[in-house]
């Protein structure tokens, strides 16, 4: 570890106590007092998490002698001045018991970490190359542990890690150091190539995954997306880092990997037939995070081109980076032939349900929701459905609306696919090109530039306003009918409930609904309706015997005070949507679902692989 000015090491020092020992050595530390800090957040997850709160001990030394460390804010330490530039090492113990894709987790069965949870940033040295020594825990119990990470191995260095081995890895900067999560343990490993790029999937946790099925399906997804943006792929390798547990769901994107958390039942099992819903959701998650390898990791909002890891990084564009990614995650499954058009239209209809169910879409614009993600979307409470619009779901519908608009107005000459590829060409970061960040108006300008349309009204309404998207009329030219129905005939209270054992509590009271008008509040414990006890099973039975406009008497506890309410029931919630194809042949629809241009030129022919079946 002599060649780099910045060296890190990480070792599970006490797995039973969930403690890592992490060292950071700076060869030419700031003589006036070198500062070290842990990030306040992890890129991709827009919440201040203050990872430094898990540092349980920290000390510094130089030339074998202790150096005083002073804590100067919630996540920064400063070493005592050394007088001249010297080698300085900071040794910290970090508690790791957060089994999520955003943190670090360690016990006697495995270790997982994101660099943002464990590696101190040496201030002023962020742009320097680093070496990181990933060390095996001591003891015979860990002899068969391996390492799965997309961190590049420090080939040529003494002590360089072998493939999946412990030892030295190398990165070009701190930013890259914290963008490669790592797993240590006895995970299952499978490999495949997509468009010549080596890919791996590592699964930790108990599972019975059919790896052949999974790698076959992932190959199709990855190849389709690489060809969509154009070969060669920008990442030299890619790793799906999966933790399978009883029940969980989550993913976080990185430049050459993704960390995923799933239920073991989401994974395919040997002999499995068809594409069960749970596995479809898992493939959708893989597809989503993989699409992010372009859209947000390399095509970035302008304010993300240099992250400020100390505080919130504001952007009004998460609707495009999360919403467009959400549109393309399932569309990839359709276009690469894993699902058929009927199934895909069902998934789109579910997204419409999700947006239309929540009154927050009428309160907050997508640009506002993106900007306030740190304090609103990521910090949900009982009023979130009334106050916040989900920029994933509505962003996906804006992608759909924009795609349909461009295709219909240009007779399929231009589509959202072209907008994405132009974003990649102009703004994408590749080996030989570091594009500028995406500004607030750039997506509109690109779409206008390609299509010749004036889209100011579209973006003003869809992104900076709250009018409903005109999806029904936009879908019409594509031979698709959007129907809105009530999922049940039961009149509504206008509230979302949560079950607690045999009790029912109001989780959210919808703005403008009957419960709110009657004075009921989130947190109220429902006791009785018209004198009969409310139970999770009984609530629907009590309500379905009434009709809209009926008045019911509700008894509820607010805290420990019994209260009585008179509620006039509202009409059944008509928040269920269906998309039906009308007519056998529709050229616009066919080109949309298959991802073709009107008159394929050489370029588009190469990016549209043949489909195994008709997906119109
Ligand atoms: Zn995402």
């Amino acid at each position: 570890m002599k060649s780099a000015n910045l060296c890190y090491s990480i070792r599970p020092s006490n797995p039973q106590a969930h403690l890592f020992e992490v060292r950071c050595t700076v060869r030419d530390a700031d003589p006036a007092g070198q500062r070290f800090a842990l990030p306040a957040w992890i890129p991709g997850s827009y919440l201040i998490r203050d990872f430094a709160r898990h540092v349980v001990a920290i000390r510094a030394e130089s030339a074998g002698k202790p150096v005083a460390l002073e804590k100067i804010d919630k996540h920064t330490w400063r070493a005592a001045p050394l007088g001249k530039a010297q080698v300085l090492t900071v040794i910290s113990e970090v508690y790791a018991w957060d089994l999520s894709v955003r943190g670090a987790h360690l016990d006697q069965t495995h270790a997982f970490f994101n660099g943002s949870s464990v590696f101190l940033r040496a201030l002023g040295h962020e742009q320097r190359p680093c070496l990181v020594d990933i060390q095996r825990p001591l003891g015979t119990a860990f002899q068969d542990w391996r390492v799965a990470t997309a961190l590049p191995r420090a080939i040529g260095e003494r002590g360089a890690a072998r493939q999946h081995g412990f030892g030295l890895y190398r990165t070009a900067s701190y930013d890259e150091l914290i963008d490669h999560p790592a797993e240590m343990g006895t995970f299952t490993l499978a490999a495949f190539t997509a468009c010549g790029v080596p890919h791996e999937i590592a699964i930790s946790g108990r599972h019975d995954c059919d790896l052949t099925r999974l790698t076959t399906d992932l190959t199709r997804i990855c190849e389709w997306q690489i060809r969509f943006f154009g070969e060669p792929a920008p990442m030299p390798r890619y790793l799906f880092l999966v933790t399978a547990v009883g029940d969980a769901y989550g993913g976080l994107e990185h430049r050459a990997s993704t960390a995923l958390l799933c239920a073991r039942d989401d994974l395919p099992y040997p002999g499995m037939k068809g594409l069960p819903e749970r596995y479809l959701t898992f493939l959708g998650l893989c597809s989503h995070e993989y699409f992010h390898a372009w859209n947000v990791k390399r095509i970035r909002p302008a304010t993300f081109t240099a992250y400020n890891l100390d505080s919130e990084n504001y952007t009004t564009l998460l609707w495009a980076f999360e919403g467009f990614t959400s549109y393309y995650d399932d569309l990839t499954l359709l276009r690469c032939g894993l699902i058929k058009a009927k199934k895909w239209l069902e998934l789109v209809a579910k997204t419409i349900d999700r947006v239309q169910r929540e009154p927050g879409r009428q309160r907050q614009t997508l640009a506002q929701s993106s900007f306030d993600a740190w304090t609103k979307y990521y910090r949900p409470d009982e009023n979130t459905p009334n106050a916040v619009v989900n920029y994933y779901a509505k962003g996906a519908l804006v992608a759909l609306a924009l795609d349909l608009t461009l295709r219909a107005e240009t007779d399929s000459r231009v589509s959202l696919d072209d907008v994405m590829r132009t974003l990649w060409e102009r703004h994408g970061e590749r080996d030989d090109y570091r594009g500028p960040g995406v500004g607030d108006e750039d997506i509109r300008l690109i779409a206008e530039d390609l299509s010749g349309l004036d889209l100011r009204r579209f973006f003003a309404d869809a992104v900076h306003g709250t009018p409903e998207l005109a999806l029904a009329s936009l879908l019409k030219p594509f031979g698709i009918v959007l129907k809105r129905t009530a999922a049940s005939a039961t009149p509504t209270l206008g509230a979302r409930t949560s079950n607690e054992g045999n009790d029912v509590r109001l989780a959210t009271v919808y703005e403008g609904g009957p419960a709110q008008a009657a004075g009921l509040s989130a947190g109220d414990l429902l006791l009785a309706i018209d004198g009969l006890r409310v139970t999770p099973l009984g609530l629907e039975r009590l309500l379905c015997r009434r009709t809209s406009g009926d008045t019911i008497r509700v008894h509820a506890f607010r805290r420990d005070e019994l209260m009585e309410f008179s509620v006039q029931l509202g009409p059944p919630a008509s928040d269920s949507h269906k998309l039906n194809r009308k007519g056998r042949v529709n050229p616009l629809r066919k080109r949309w679902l298959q991802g073709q241009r009107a008159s394929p030129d050489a370029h588009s022919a190469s990016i549209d692989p043949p489909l195994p079946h008709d997906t119109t």
Side-chain angles (χ1 to χ4, degrees), residues 85-138:
Q86 285 191 25
V87 179
L88 178 69
T89 298
V90 174
I91 303 113
S92 57
E93 273 188 281
V94 183
Y95 178 72
W97 194 238
D98 173 15
L99 190 58
S100 81
V101 297
R102 305 170 296 257
H105 189 262
L106 166 64
D107 64 12
Q108 60 275 38
T109 68
H110 89 128
F112 169 83
F113 67 84
N114 280 290
S116 44
S117 288
V118 292
F119 294 132
L120 286 162
R121 176 167 53 102
L123 274 66
H125 299 263
E126 291 90 339
Q127 300 309 323
R128 299 219 166 154
C130 331
L131 282 176
V132 53
D133 188 10
I134 300 183
Q135 298 174 357
R136 190 192 300 274
L138 301 176

Side-chain angles (χ1 to χ4, degrees), residues 266-494:
D266 295 345
L267 299 168
Y269 55 89
M272 187 180 82
K273 300 272 184 296
L275 192 56
E277 208 64 30
R278 299 189 70 118
Y279 180 45
L280 171 61
T281 305
F282 178 74
L283 287 179
L285 178 65
C286 294
S287 174
H288 181 96
E289 304 305 344
Y290 197 74
F291 198 83
H292 272 317
W294 289 267
N295 197 35
V296 95
K297 294 312 299 187
R298 290 178 175 83
I299 307 166
R300 302 195 199 191
T303 51
F304 285 8
T305 49
Y307 294 122
N308 175 355
L309 295 165
D310 292 327
S311 65
E312 293 87 347
N313 284 207
Y314 296 103
T315 171
T316 59
L317 291 173
L318 293 180
W319 58 271
F321 289 93
E322 289 302 345
F324 285 21
T325 301
S326 298
Y327 176 63
Y328 278 103
D329 59 23
D330 289 337
L331 190 57
T332 297
L333 305 185
L334 169 71
R335 291 206 181 146
C336 79
L338 284 169
I339 59 173
K340 299 197 175 188
K342 185 169 178 282
K343 183 77 221 174
W344 184 67
L345 292 173
E346 277 174 35
L347 295 172
V348 175
K350 272 191 201 159
T351 305
I352 302 175
D353 291 351
R354 207 172 308 147
V355 174
Q356 292 303 114
R357 203 167 289 154
E358 304 200 329
R361 74 184 187 283
Q362 292 164 331
R363 280 281 194 196
Q364 197 189 38
T365 70
L366 280 180
Q368 291 168 337
S369 184
S370 301
F371 190 88
D372 281 333
W374 303 84
T375 50
K376 293 196 172 185
Y377 184 80
Y378 266 89
R379 291 175 64 183
D381 61 26
E382 73 288 344
N383 197 44
T384 296
N386 289 329
V388 173
V389 64
N390 179 333
Y391 54 75
Y392 285 82
K394 191 178 171 190
L397 297 187
V398 169
L400 168 70
L402 182 58
D403 201 5
L404 296 175
T405 302
L406 293 171
R407 288 172 181 276
E409 297 291 328
T410 66
D411 198 21
S412 300
R413 191 177 50 80
V414 177
S415 71
L416 190 62
D417 301 352
D418 302 301
V419 174
M420 293 311 304
R421 287 189 277 261
T422 306
L423 275 167
W424 173 237
E425 277 161 29
R426 293 187 192 169
H427 295 273
E429 291 179 31
R430 308 181 276 280
D431 282 347
D432 53 342
Y433 178 72
R434 190 178 167 93
V438 178
D440 284 356
E441 300 299 321
D442 283 335
I443 294 170
R444 175 177 64 82
L445 293 173
I446 286 172
E448 289 182 338
D449 188 20
L450 295 174
S451 66
L453 300 170
D454 179 352
L455 294 165
R456 280 175 298 182
R457 182 83 249 158
F458 177 93
F459 279 83
D461 285 351
V463 176
H464 302 283
T466 57
E468 303 286 2
L469 298 169
L471 292 177
S473 58
L474 287 172
L475 285 160
K476 220 178 201 171
F478 294 78
I480 293 172
V481 180
L482 173 63
K483 267 199 190 155
R484 193 177 129 182
T485 53
S488 98
T490 306
T492 177
L493 272 178

